[in-house]
Each structure stands twice: as structure tokens, then as C-alpha cells.
Amino acid sequence: MESVLAFFVLGVFVLTAMQIQLILKRSEYQIKTERKQLKQIEADVGLALTEPVEKLRTDSRFVVTAADHGQEWVRVKNAPDFVPLIKR
């Protein structure tokens, strides 16, 4: 009877360890994916700062809107809310 209980407890520990390992791998994959997305957003913001506005208008990654006094605002489409509009 004690050996069955010990086997059961061991099984619970193994399953818990496997679940923790799965959660860590999932988190690691999510972190890698978010890093890739942030690098792409960083590159897009760099383009928004340096490329001519006419070229950005034809690129689907950007939204160009008119602003006051002939200046325009550029927004990176896939950027999170904390990335500001870029005044050009």
C-alpha cells in the first residue's frame, strides 16, 4: 500500500515538473516572438524617420495622415500604442 502511494506521489511530481517545463518553453517561445516583432517595429520606425513620405504612402506598413501647416504624421501600423506618431 505504501509503495502505491509513493508511486502516486512520484507520478504527481513528474507531471508537475513536465507542466512547468512546458510553461517555460511556451514563455521562451513567446519572448522570442515578441523580440522579433519589436526588432521589426524598430526597423519600421527607423524607415519612418528617414524615408521620404511619398515612399511611405505606398508601403502597407505605414499610415500617413495630413497634419497642420503642410506637415504629415506617419504611424507604423503594427506598432503598439506606446509608439508615438512621427511628425514629418
Side-chain angles (χ1 to χ4, degrees), residues 65-84:
T65 57
D68 296 333
H69 308 295
Q71 291 184 332
E72 296 167 303
W73 294 93
V74 178
R75 183 176 69 83
V76 179
K77 277 188 179 179
N78 63 348
D81 293 337
F82 62 84
V83 175

Side-chain angles (χ1 to χ4, degrees), residues 28-72:
E28 184 179 311
Y29 174 76
Q30 185 176 2
I31 289 169
K32 285 181 181 179
T33 303
E34 288 175 358
R35 281 186 183 156
K36 286 180 185 177
Q37 290 172 344
L38 287 175
K39 284 182 181 180
Q40 182 61 47
I41 290 169
E42 183 180 5
D44 290 346
V45 168
L47 283 175
L49 290 170
T50 59
E51 292 293 324
V53 174
E54 294 78 25
K55 186 173 180 182
L56 297 175
R57 276 197 180 99
T58 60
D59 196 331
S60 64
R61 296 176 291 176
F62 304 99
V63 176
V64 179
T65 57
D68 296 333
H69 308 295
Q71 291 184 332
E72 296 167 303

Side-chain angles (χ1 to χ4, degrees), residues 5 19 78 84 88:
L5 182 61
Q19 286 178 337
N78 63 348
R88 296 291 305 262

